[in-house]
Amino acid sequence: MKVLWLSNVLFPEVCKVLGVKVPVVGGWMYSGAKALLKESSELQLGIISFYDGHDLKIIDKKPVTYYLVPKKNIASYVGGVEECFVEIKKEFKPNITHIHGSEYPHSRAYINSCGIENVVLSIQGLVSIYAKYYFGGIKFIAPTLRDLLRSDSIKQQQKNMEQRGKMEIELLQNVKYFIGRTSWDKNHIWNNNPAANYFFCNETLREVFYTKEWRFSKCQPHSVFLSQAHYPIKGLHQVIKALSIVLNHFPKTIVYVAGNNFVSVPKYKRNGFASYINNLMDEYNVRKQFIFLGVLNEEQMVEQYLRANVFVCPSVIENSPNSVGEAQLLGTPCVASYVGGTMDMIIHKQTGLLYRFEEFSMLAEHMCNLFSDRQLCEEISRNGQDIAKKRHDPKKNAQNLLKIYQTISNQ
């Protein structure tokens, strides 16, 4: 069987050939491809991704053929990609085309140019829904001079996501086959395309997360880890409010944040959200409790999960956040907002703790309960790890995906 993937990230093999850094995002897709090829010796895999070049480039790394389409900005719909897609399809002759994600215009561009026959779309996030929550419940975020000069305020970012969302809805309404993994994404497929064929398949995560295990005795007491925080959807502002309560009970609490310190850059470089967070940190007197770690590779991410007393996913909306899966797979006790598909990943008080996004005092209480109760930490750690090992089983997920491909191919 010949399967053609459409991906928005460059795989490590390609990065080595191009001499560019391996992206810190999308590593789960590479792990999924490896598991798939391990499970089927007859599978031929073609992978389309995008690079900063001028011509269609083909890199043969049997049993994978990489097709690199020139496109500098994956968030924009530009001419040229459709012609490349037609050429790739004609050359590779896939039995199945698997589009990973609906968030970017190139997904719609593929079906516009190549049709929907034997095309399956797997849902990652849904920007048509995320755009509604872009401000994370914040009533107003004032644009800075930087925002105005770049036409890149938080409001403009929301509008850009809304535009991508319109293209996404057109895609959802036209594709016949979908792969999802939560009741939330299944609902939105049904809402947009009631006649669609929906297949359930979990994701395989990055390999290193299967090799380590969290231990209470080795974690840093009263420490919290956040895997993202740079825009309102990720809920940093709610953690700031919650932390002000936690400090009354555990005054030495520290929050480690993956990603660059967008808060402490010079004022002329700050966007509206960074300025808002700066003011909020001062209002709640918690600035010293936050440590930004910079961009982390997967090994460094593992190190932070293992060091944390608690991992928090405070987003206003998510489908099935890989960060929760990674934390559970390692055994790090999780607290997450009850939004989107997160409810399918965490059973409250068994495999993690859930709270309503707006109720930051509940987030604070959950953090304090885990800080003060080793038995609760270890119980949630053990249960979360058990369920995550089943959910993210590479062999099982690869077998399931192959069955989906075969089912679609036979119809």
Side-chain angles (χ1 to χ4, degrees):
M1 178 181 289
K2 301 177 78 172
V3 177
L4 181 63
W5 280 13
L6 177 57
S7 165
N8 58 9
V9 296
L10 289 170
F11 280 38
E13 285 184 323
V14 172
C15 292
K16 291 178 183 178
V17 173
L18 296 177
V20 299
K21 288 184 178 180
V22 177
V24 296
V25 297
W28 60 269
M29 205 177 299
Y30 180 61
S31 297
K34 289 176 69 175
L36 198 62
L37 291 165
K38 184 178 180 180
E39 200 59 34
S40 174
S41 59
E42 298 179 357
L43 180 69
Q44 296 180 55
L45 187 60
I47 299 177
I48 303 173
S49 50
F50 303 91
Y51 82 118
D52 187 7
H54 300 287
D55 302 299
L56 176 63
K57 184 185 288 287
I58 301 174
I59 300 174
D60 192 358
K61 292 283 185 180
K62 293 189 182 302
V64 181
T65 304
Y66 294 97
Y67 297 93
L68 305 185
V69 174
K71 191 170 188 280
K72 292 184 178 181
N73 182 5
I74 62 171
S76 63
Y77 198 128
V78 296
V81 296
E82 294 181 350
E83 291 82 356
C84 288
F85 290 158
V86 171
E87 184 178 342
I88 292 167
K89 183 180 179 183
K90 183 177 179 180
E91 194 273 338
F92 188 70
K93 297 181 178 62
N95 303 104
I96 297 291
T97 297
H98 183 170
I99 299 176
H100 287 271
S102 56
E103 303 98 318
Y104 294 106
H106 55 250
S107 297
R108 193 190 72 168
Y110 185 89
I111 68 165
N112 284 353
S113 56
C114 299
I116 63 170
E117 183 180 1
N118 285 5
V119 171
V120 61
L121 171 65
S122 59
I123 303 301
Q124 295 176 10
L126 289 169
V127 290
S128 54
I129 306 302
Y130 285 15
K132 301 174 184 178
Y133 299 94
Y134 199 83
F135 274 69
I138 302 169
K139 292 182 178 179
F140 177 71
I141 298 177
T144 61
L145 179 60
R146 173 257 179 214
D147 295 343
L148 296 174
L149 291 174
R150 295 190 180 188
S151 298
D152 187 37
S153 66
I154 299 300
K155 184 63 178 177
Q156 185 61 52
Q157 291 173 16
Q158 183 189 41
K159 287 182 178 179
N160 292 341
M161 185 173 279
E162 286 175 347
Q163 287 302 116
R164 286 161 51 201
K166 291 177 182 177
M167 288 187 277
E168 177 181 71
I169 289 172
E170 291 180 14
L171 180 68
L172 299 181
Q173 291 175 341
N174 283 281
V175 174
K176 292 168 60 178
Y177 304 107
F178 294 88
I179 296 173
R181 57 199 180 279
T182 67
S183 53
W184 182 82
D185 66 38
K186 185 177 182 181
N187 169 262
H188 286 290
I189 296 305
W190 170 82
N191 187 44
N192 284 284
N193 191 342
N197 295 273
Y198 180 93
F199 300 94
F200 179 90
C201 188
N202 280 314
E203 288 181 344
T204 295
L205 301 180
R206 293 177 284 184
E207 292 178 349
V208 67
F209 290 96
Y210 296 83
T211 64
K212 306 283 185 176
E213 191 167 296
W214 180 89
R215 288 283 182 268
F216 182 89
S217 59
K218 294 184 178 181
C219 78
Q220 177 183 334
H222 314 155
S223 65
V224 178
F225 179 50
L226 307 180
S227 64
Q228 292 189 62
H230 67 285
Y231 65 118
I233 280 177
K234 296 302 177 181
L236 175 61
H237 48 294
Q238 297 299 87
V239 177
I240 290 171
K241 297 171 189 176
L243 184 61
S244 68
I245 300 172
V246 173
L247 291 173
N248 293 327
H249 306 271
F250 297 94
K252 294 184 179 181
T253 300
I254 296 292
V255 179
Y256 295 94
V257 185
N260 291 324
N261 189 348
F262 68 98
V263 176
S264 297
V265 297
K267 282 189 176 181
Y268 70 90
K269 289 186 177 181
R270 291 179 195 166
N271 67 10
F273 183 59
S275 293
Y276 175 84
I277 291 297
N278 258 290
N279 294 335
L280 202 64
M281 284 182 168
D282 289 339
E283 179 183 345
Y284 285 94
N285 194 27
V286 296
R287 184 180 296 276
K288 293 180 180 179
Q289 277 70 38
F290 282 87
I291 298 176
F292 288 83
L293 301 167
V295 177
L296 305 179
N297 62 32
E298 56 193 74
E299 288 80 12
Q300 293 168 325
M301 287 289 289
V302 168
E303 182 182 336
Q304 294 304 321
Y305 281 117
L306 296 179
R307 181 167 74 170
N309 195 160
V310 177
F311 169 73
V312 175
C313 180
S315 303
V316 66
I317 190 67
E318 292 279 1
N319 183 14
S320 63
N322 281 348
S323 58
V324 170
E326 291 167 350
Q328 289 181 322
L329 203 52
L330 291 166
T332 309
C334 294
V335 179
S337 50
Y338 189 95
V339 296
T342 308
M343 59 185 177
D344 291 345
M345 300 184 75
I346 291 179
I347 302 172
H348 185 54
K349 294 186 178 180
Q350 295 183 36
T351 61
L353 299 175
L354 293 168
Y355 70 98
R356 182 181 162 101
F357 170 80
E358 295 85 353
E359 302 286 354
F360 59 85
S361 63
M362 291 187 68
L363 168 59
E365 183 180 13
H366 289 340
M367 292 161 64
C368 288
N369 287 341
L370 288 168
F371 287 168
S372 62
D373 191 337
R374 175 171 182 166
Q375 183 176 344
L376 177 63
C377 277
E378 291 180 337
E379 182 179 345
I380 285 176
S381 171
R382 183 173 57 254
N383 292 340
Q385 192 173 46
D386 287 346
I387 200 167
K389 284 180 178 179
K390 295 174 183 176
R391 183 200 306 132
H392 302 293
D393 184 325
K395 184 178 181 67
K396 181 180 178 181
N397 292 340
Q399 289 174 341
N400 192 13
L401 189 53
L402 285 169
K403 287 179 183 177
I404 293 170
Y405 291 159
Q406 196 63 57
T407 299
I408 295 171
S409 181
N410 290 339
Q411 288 187 3

